[in-house]
Amino acid sequence: MTYTCRNCKRTFTSELQYELHRDTCSADALVCERCGEQFSERQATRDGWHYACPTDGCEGSGRGEDLHPVHEFSVAVDTR
């Protein structure tokens, strides 16, 4: 059986993995297209206007450019 997160659409093969993920996933979360990290919107901005990825060494910035709401972001799966 697979479990799918309603916020970010990630799938998990075990209920435990899903529950651990669900505790940290929020509809208000953002995902960085450059590094793939997920974080709260609050962590990505100080003024509510300018957004940057809070991950050390990542230069992702701009909501809608490199940073996307988790519910709009999808991960491509290689099925080869």
Side-chain angles (χ1 to χ4, degrees):
M1 177 173 201
T2 60
Y3 302 86
T4 304
C5 176
R6 285 188 265 168
N7 293 325
C8 69
K9 310 296 186 261
R10 284 184 61 189
T11 58
F12 301 89
T13 55
S14 81
E15 187 175 8
L16 177 59
Q17 288 175 327
Y18 169 65
E19 288 178 2
L20 291 172
H21 166 79
R22 192 178 61 190
D23 289 342
T24 61
C25 188
S26 164
D28 296 332
L30 297 174
V31 175
C32 179
E33 190 174 295
R34 290 190 182 204
C35 71
E37 290 296 317
Q38 178 179 319
F39 41 85
S40 70
E41 185 174 339
R42 182 182 43 158
Q43 289 177 295
T45 185
R46 291 180 186 231
D47 61 8
W49 187 257
H50 299 93
Y51 289 80
C53 180
T55 304
D56 289 339
C58 182
E59 296 181 7
S61 65
R63 187 174 175 143
E65 293 173 21
D66 293 327
L67 309 179
H68 304 278
V70 72
H71 66 274
E72 293 177 5
F73 194 80
S74 63
V75 177
V77 177
D78 187 2
T79 57
R80 287 187 254 165

